[in-house]
Amino acid sequence: MKTSKALVRMMPASEGRESIASHMKDILAELGEDPSREGLLRTPERYEKALRYLTSGYSTDLGQIVNGALFTQECDEMVVVKDIEFFSTCEHHLLPFSGKMHVAYLPKNKVIGLSKIPRIVDMFARRLQLQERLTRQVAGAIQQVLDPRGVGVVCEARHFCMMMRGVEKQHSGTITSSMLGAFRQNKDTRDEFLSLVSR
Ligand SMILES: [Zn+2]
């Protein structure tokens, strides 16, 4: 069994530390609920399991995801994977935000297996996040793995902390982007990407 630092951190509560589930019982009581009623009896454990899944990206390793799926290829045309659905958790309110991510890069004789890109998105989405940071981290990871001529990432999301509480705006979306290399320096490259993903 692997015992990297990140994995240890994500393991269930060790001895002497209370589990998330036991705290949830107190939280339910604090809300005026009866944690011992039938419907709530196993809710603390279910919540802990869900929360650990939603933050499992902390213990995911970029090298493991890529796992050799890099291929030498004479290719200098833009590669775009659009409409990658993702679900993440806002670090300010611990509420979900979700949407679509569009990822593009300009290869420098090296391409990555296309299915790996959504897995890289999930790796960063399954953490406590800010949309801005999530967008930047996905771009940074593609840059790190492929060393391409450029990377472009656009992220469109809706935040439950805005929809269900606070300003209660159900239809407002937030768009963030991160452009590296040629996508930042070259307007034509950036425009090509943006026109491909806005279709
Ligand atoms: Zn929030």
Side-chain angles (χ1 to χ4, degrees):
M1 186 162 181
K2 281 200 79 179
T3 50
S4 75
K5 237 184 204 167
L7 270 176
V8 169
R9 192 152 56 89
M10 290 312 297
M11 278 179 178
S14 52
E15 277 176 69
R17 240 178 64 208
E18 294 204 39
S19 66
I20 292 169
S22 68
H23 290 293
M24 281 312 298
K25 264 179 218 156
D26 292 340
I27 290 171
L28 289 170
E30 186 62 34
L31 292 172
E33 266 291 356
D34 170 11
S36 65
R37 73 176 171 85
E38 194 191 355
L40 292 178
L41 213 48
R42 292 191 52 236
T43 296
E45 283 77 21
R46 285 192 205 98
Y47 183 76
E48 172 161 359
K49 204 174 162 200
L51 193 59
R52 290 196 184 278
Y53 177 76
L54 297 178
T55 56
S56 58
Y58 287 120
S59 55
T60 309
D61 178 72
L62 190 56
Q64 276 176 334
I65 289 181
V66 176
N67 191 25
L70 295 177
F71 309 99
T72 306
Q73 180 72 50
E74 290 287 323
C75 169
D76 58 1
E77 298 299 324
M78 189 180 296
V79 178
V80 184
V81 182
K82 61 183 271 186
D83 297 329
I84 303 168
E85 207 177 34
F86 74 89
F87 296 88
S88 190
T89 306
C90 143
E91 70 181 17
H92 294 150
H93 303 96
L94 300 186
L95 287 171
F97 68 96
S98 68
K100 289 185 297 187
M101 201 161 311
H102 315 295
V103 178
Y105 67 95
L106 269 178
K108 198 158 65 185
N109 297 324
K110 201 156 62 165
V111 296
I112 186 170
L114 290 181
S115 69
K116 301 295 183 181
I117 292 180
R119 293 194 59 201
I120 291 173
V121 171
D122 284 342
M123 168 182 168
F124 292 106
R126 289 180 189 152
R127 297 177 182 194
L128 303 185
Q129 276 291 9
L130 294 172
Q131 184 180 337
E132 297 87 335
R133 185 171 65 226
L134 171 61
T135 309
R136 219 169 47 234
Q137 284 177 330
V138 169
I142 303 286
Q143 177 69 38
Q144 184 190 327
V145 166
L146 280 170
D147 186 29
R149 288 191 288 135
V151 184
V153 177
V154 170
C155 176
E156 306 169 30
R158 290 199 174 168
H159 294 247
F160 278 72
C161 56
M162 279 180 76
M163 291 156 68
M164 295 175 72
R165 54 160 292 287
V167 290
E168 295 192 26
K169 292 285 173 269
Q170 278 82 17
H171 301 290
S172 62
T174 307
I175 300 180
T176 50
S177 68
S178 180
M179 304 285 169
L180 304 176
F183 286 75
R184 176 175 284 272
Q185 289 140 21
N186 188 327
K187 186 179 182 302
D188 290 345
T189 302
R190 190 166 59 240
D191 288 349
E192 182 187 344
F193 169 48
L194 294 175
S195 77
L196 285 170
V197 301
S198 62
R199 263 178 215 168

